[in-house]
Amino acid sequence: MLPHCSILLLLCVTRLLSPSSALPFEQKGFWDFAMDSMDSGGMMRDEEEGSAIGEDPPPHVHMCPFGCHCQLRVVQCSDLGLSEVPKNIPPDTKFLDLQNNRITELKENDFKGLSNLYGLSLVNNKISKVHPRTFIPLKHMQKLYFSRNLLTTIPRNLPSSLVEMRIHENRIKKVPEGAFSGLGNMNCIELGGNPIHNSGFEPGAFKGLKLNYLRISDAKLTGVPKDLPDSLHELHLDSNQIQAVELEDLSRYKHLYRLGLGYNHIRNIENGSLAYLSRLRELHLDNNRLIQVPKGLPDMKYLQVVYLHSNNINQVGVDDFCPRGFGMKRTFYNGISLFGNPVNYWEVQPATFRCVNDRLAIQFGNYKK
């Protein structure tokens, strides 16, 4: 006869080995499957902590919004048909890609907790409404891509850390006073493709900005806008309805090295208008209605590229591009385009291009009407 203690031990072992006595599996979260998969693949379990099955994920592990791809602090949620900003975006996200969706509105708490966000792309959505406090949590954001939406005004309370904003191809008709207030770090603004008239820029609209780059192409401008930032190095006003450049239009932009005025209706550039642009390197005046080479080009010591093609220029003088006297020009031209004008190249004197680096830099072509 077995001792009483031996019988008791045998009953305990039998009960443990019986399948019917096992507790049912209780899933507490998605990570149960992930941890179970890793264990079955040979992952060493911590003998002191026990199995991770059924436990919550470690606090440093963040979920990725459904359908999105999260890697190296980049969260890509583009082309998903989203109608709103997804939840559960990891708080350490640096770049959030929400382009090519159907988002119509940005709400107050859409970016709550994303204080580490560096860049945000909302390109090609249907956003027409932005809550005034939407961008408050984004203390370190530097790049905002808001192009191809339905905005009618500049969003309020943009992050003071912002460096680059592209908001072209919206429905913005007005830039009010103080629209960019507090953005002392802003370097680049793209405003093209909005139906803005000259009257749409209120006095003080760009007050406080020290921009290097500004583009207002494909708008409704009939002249060079007033009171743009005087710190500009690049100004692009292509594809507007500008008809003339008057004497004072460029007087405040003495730091410009690239000016784009192509694809306008410019017939006249008032004598002396270009004298303020002493540092200009590139001048784009192609596809306009000029009948002569603008005055003042020989005095621009650093000018290297001049686009004058597709105008109505019928004559080119020997002193239209180069100054008289040796050493007057600091840098020689490396690009002059004159094709698409009613001027015969064989009628232009060779000395006209005495300050050009190479003859291949001159593009004449044959005028065809």
Side-chain angles (χ1 to χ4, degrees):
M1 173 180 264
L2 293 173
H4 179 73
C5 60
S6 298
I7 295 174
L8 182 61
L9 178 61
L10 180 61
L11 288 173
C12 291
V13 171
T14 304
R15 185 175 182 86
L16 286 172
L17 294 176
S18 173
S20 60
S21 66
L23 294 175
F25 173 72
E26 180 182 357
Q27 182 187 355
K28 294 183 178 180
F30 169 82
W31 281 93
D32 292 338
F33 293 109
M35 299 300 293
D36 184 55
S37 174
M38 286 188 290
D39 284 335
S40 64
M43 180 177 180
M44 183 179 293
R45 300 188 185 188
D46 192 323
E47 294 181 0
E48 295 181 359
E49 296 295 334
S51 172
I53 296 179
E55 297 180 359
D56 293 330
H60 64 279
V61 177
H62 304 300
M63 299 291 287
C64 188
F66 180 77
C68 302
H69 297 280
C70 302
Q71 187 175 14
L72 301 177
R73 299 182 182 179
V74 174
V75 177
Q76 185 179 6
C77 302
S78 61
D79 302 277
L80 295 178
L82 300 175
S83 59
E84 60 181 7
V85 176
K87 309 299 181 185
N88 302 321
I89 299 172
D92 63 346
T93 300
K94 288 288 188 180
F95 189 87
L96 176 59
D97 181 5
L98 293 170
Q99 64 182 327
N100 302 326
N101 281 292
R102 299 174 184 173
I103 301 172
T104 59
E105 179 183 356
L106 296 184
K107 302 173 184 177
E108 179 177 0
N109 296 319
D110 277 349
F111 304 113
K112 185 177 180 180
L114 300 182
S115 59
N116 294 309
L117 199 65
Y118 173 85
L120 172 62
S121 178
L122 295 160
V123 175
N124 197 27
N125 276 275
K126 300 180 183 298
I127 301 170
S128 61
K129 185 178 179 181
V130 180
H131 192 281
R133 297 185 60 82
T134 293
F135 297 111
I136 296 297
L138 308 180
K139 304 294 185 181
H140 299 99
M141 189 170 72
Q142 296 190 23
K143 298 181 181 293
L144 175 59
Y145 304 127
F146 229 132
S147 305
R148 293 194 287 280
N149 276 279
L150 304 177
L151 295 175
T152 57
T153 185
I154 306 294
R156 296 169 56 188
N157 298 319
L158 294 168
S160 59
S161 57
L162 208 58
V163 173
E164 177 182 349
M165 182 171 70
R166 300 186 181 272
I167 197 167
H168 62 291
E169 295 187 40
N170 276 269
R171 297 180 179 179
I172 299 171
K173 293 183 178 181
K174 184 178 179 180
V175 182
E177 179 182 1
F180 303 105
S181 61
L183 302 180
N185 297 315
M186 186 71 82
N187 179 69
C188 166
I189 294 180
E190 166 66 80
L191 263 172
N194 286 286
I196 307 177
H197 292 79
N198 284 71
S199 59
F201 295 100
E202 291 188 355
F206 295 93
K207 185 178 180 180
L209 288 186
K210 296 182 178 180
L211 292 180
N212 285 323
Y213 179 100
L214 176 62
R215 183 184 292 273
I216 317 176
S217 301
D218 297 285
K220 303 292 184 180
L221 303 178
T222 55
V224 177
K226 309 295 183 184
D227 299 326
L228 300 179
D230 57 11
S231 58
L232 284 172
H233 288 166
E234 291 195 41
L235 175 59
H236 299 271
L237 303 173
D238 310 273
S239 301
N240 278 283
Q241 300 168 19
I242 301 173
Q243 299 182 21
V245 178
E246 300 178 354
L247 184 60
E248 298 297 324
D249 282 349
L250 302 172
S251 61
R252 62 185 284 116
Y253 312 121
K254 300 178 181 180
H255 300 288
L256 278 182
Y257 65 77
R258 183 175 289 119
L259 174 61
L261 289 168
Y263 290 91
N264 276 280
H265 303 160
I266 300 174
R267 297 177 180 273
N268 179 51
I269 297 179
E270 192 171 350
N271 192 13
S273 301
L274 300 177
Y276 301 103
L277 309 180
S278 59
R279 302 183 183 182
L280 199 68
R281 264 71 170 175
E282 287 189 26
L283 177 59
H284 297 243
L285 285 166
D286 54 286
N287 292 277
N288 276 283
R289 300 175 183 178
L290 296 171
I291 60 173
Q292 62 180 5
V293 177
K295 302 296 182 184
L297 296 185
D299 299 322
M300 305 178 76
K301 298 180 179 181
Y302 299 100
L303 189 62
Q304 295 175 281
V305 176
V306 183
Y307 289 170
L308 289 167
H309 57 271
S310 301
N311 277 276
N312 296 320
I313 299 171
N314 55 26
Q315 186 177 1
V316 177
V318 70
D319 295 323
D320 278 351
F321 294 98
C322 303
R324 293 191 176 185
F326 181 77
M328 297 289 291
K329 189 165 176 55
R330 300 291 181 84
T331 57
F332 279 17
Y333 291 100
N334 54 41
I336 296 177
S337 67
L338 284 163
F339 61 87
N341 284 285
V343 57
N344 296 318
Y345 67 89
W346 57 84
E347 295 178 356
V348 181
Q349 298 185 35
T352 301
F353 305 111
R354 57 189 177 274
C355 57
V356 178
N357 269 332
D358 188 272
R359 63 183 180 85
L360 296 178
I362 306 165
Q363 300 177 27
F364 251 112
N366 294 320
Y367 175 72
K368 296 180 180 179
K369 195 69 174 177

